[in-house]
Each structure stands twice: as structure tokens, then as C-alpha cells.
Amino acid sequence: QVQLVESGGGLVQAGGSLRLSCAASGGIFSNYHMGWFRQAPGKEREFVDAISWSGGNTIYGDSMKGRFIISRDNAKNTAYLQMNSLKPEDTAKYYCAARNRRDGGLSMSGSAYTSWGQGTQVTVSS
């Protein structure tokens, strides 16, 4: 399975921006749809967004629309999450995940993804 490593998290003030990166290795990156999920303490894991293997299709969770942008660079085996207009409620650990396109299309369900990174913490101060 593809190995994933997130980076780019940190502390940011409300209204600020961060860009998270997800570096993939050990697999053919273009075989995978990529997704981002987040989880705050005491809350369920939440879908953030996802991008198809080619980058041609994207889907977003409701609270992320208009603020977050998912992208990928297949030449660099990397997916990105650009986070703008951050709010304190965005504070969570953010995880990158991969879904083999042979298994189907884009999904908002964590169970559809077979590879996960270790996560990177994003903290938004008010």
C-alpha cells in the first residue's frame, strides 16, 4: 500500500491560512484518489475533501466549501490542502488518505480509504 506523510500543520490565528502537504511513496500515486479528513478531540472523524486520481474532480465537506482547496501534483507524488479563512472550529488533527481508483470513485467515507497518514495538528486561535 502507498505510504502517506502529512506536514504543514501548526498554530494560526483565526482568518489565517495554512497549506498542508501529503507526500506519498511506495505506490503509483496516480492510482489513488486522495482525501483529507480531520478529527478533533471528542468528535467524530469528519470528511474534509477529496480529489480524483487525475485531479479532474473534487468534492468538499459542507463546512469547507469556499475556504479549503484540495490539489495534487502527480509529478511530485504529493497532495495538498490549502486552508483559508481558518476558524477556531477548524482546530483538529488532519489526516491524508488514499483510495485506489480501482475500488470506485470519490468518497466521503473514511472506510473507503485504505491508506492513512499519521496526521498533522492544526490549531486555530481566536
Side-chain angles (χ1 to χ4, degrees):
Q1 294 191 89
V2 64
Q3 311 297 312
L4 306 174
V5 179
E6 302 95 335
S7 62
L11 176 64
V12 64
Q13 294 183 357
S17 298
L18 283 175
R19 190 182 77 157
L20 307 183
S21 297
C22 174
S25 62
I28 301 174
F29 187 56
S30 60
N31 283 347
Y32 298 92
H33 306 310
M34 302 300 297
W36 290 93
F37 294 78
R38 68 186 187 185
Q39 188 164 28
K43 294 188 176 181
E44 296 181 356
R45 182 176 59 195
E46 181 183 19
F47 172 74
V48 176
D49 52 20
I51 187 167
S52 63
W53 68 273
S54 66
N57 292 303
T58 57
I59 55 174
Y60 290 87
D62 288 342
S63 64
M64 292 66 155
K65 293 178 181 177
R67 299 190 300 122
F68 292 4
I69 302 171
I70 188 170
S71 62
R72 67 190 295 159
D73 186 340
N74 285 355
K76 295 183 177 181
N77 289 355
T78 302
Y80 303 94
L81 177 62
Q82 179 66 45
M83 310 168 68
N84 301 316
S85 301
L86 284 163
K87 305 173 182 178
E89 51 262 44
D90 294 320
T91 296
K93 195 167 187 179
Y94 284 72
Y95 298 88
C96 179
R99 169 177 170 81
N100 197 304
R101 67 188 182 97
R102 297 174 185 173
D103 295 333
L106 298 184
S107 178
M108 297 181 177
S109 174
S111 64
Y113 295 80
T114 56
S115 297
W116 293 80
Q118 83 290 347
T120 185
Q121 179 68 36
V122 173
T123 302
V124 184
S125 63
S126 61

